[in-house]
Amino acid sequence: MLNALEVFTTVAVGLMVGVEFSVAFIMNRILDALPEDSGQLGHAHGGRMLGALMPFWYIGSLVLSAIWAVAGWHHHGAGLVVTAAGLLIVSVVMSILLLVPINNRNKTWTPDNRPADWKQQLRRWDRYHYVRVAIIIAAFTLLVTALT
């Protein structure tokens, strides 16, 4: 049973890393290259879509990692899993405090109501997101290492 939990948790976190990496380094570049207001509308739509899904994914990954840490406390790699769970806590807190407020504003913007500094706000979100991606990559790496 512990092996199934380890694999499921690692896959869930790995998929989350893939989605967030794709947002940071692929989707945002595509949206930013679109003409006129299309990019901003795409950012707003992405914020609504992923903003509805990602809280469950982040919290779910954290809960799975915590369960693995408790269930595997006396097994090889427990310290790595605890550290990974700690990093996932950091990513959740960072999301709530830094990224979600910007996303909540962004997902309501249209070309008619967006603020004058909307591009700067999206760039700030990107900077925070890069740090968050690095944190969840580190957590994923620790989980993978704990499997070996």
Side-chain angles (χ1 to χ4, degrees):
M1 185 65 148
L2 181 60
N3 287 341
L5 174 65
E6 293 169 346
V7 170
F8 186 76
T9 302
T10 305
V11 169
V13 173
L15 290 171
M16 182 174 70
V17 166
V19 168
E20 294 292 33
F21 186 90
S22 176
V23 166
F25 298 103
I26 298 169
M27 293 308 303
N28 283 348
R29 301 299 171 262
I30 292 169
L31 293 173
D32 291 343
L34 292 174
E36 298 172 14
D37 296 323
S38 300
Q40 185 267 308
L41 292 170
H43 279 286
H45 183 64
R48 287 188 298 274
M49 264 182 56
L50 290 173
L53 171 67
M54 296 317 285
F56 298 104
W57 210 338
Y58 273 83
I59 298 295
S61 294
L62 171 57
V63 168
L64 287 169
S65 297
I67 293 169
W68 176 1
V70 170
W73 187 250
H74 297 292
H75 291 84
H76 170 77
L80 297 172
V81 178
V82 169
T83 305
L87 288 172
L88 292 174
I89 289 170
V90 170
S91 75
V92 168
V93 170
M94 184 180 179
S95 297
I96 292 168
L97 296 179
L98 301 173
L99 288 112
V100 168
I102 297 169
N103 189 60
N104 284 343
R105 291 189 301 270
N106 167 52
K107 65 186 183 181
T108 65
W109 294 339
T110 66
D112 297 326
N113 73 356
R114 66 188 180 210
D117 70 338
W118 68 274
K119 287 183 181 180
Q120 291 83 0
Q121 290 189 51
L122 288 181
R123 281 196 291 270
R124 186 176 327 118
W125 186 93
D126 282 342
R127 287 190 304 271
Y128 293 146
H129 184 65
Y130 295 143
V131 173
R132 181 174 62 177
V133 169
I135 290 168
I136 62 174
I137 287 172
F140 176 65
T141 302
L142 291 169
L143 294 175
V144 169
T145 305
L147 288 173
T148 60

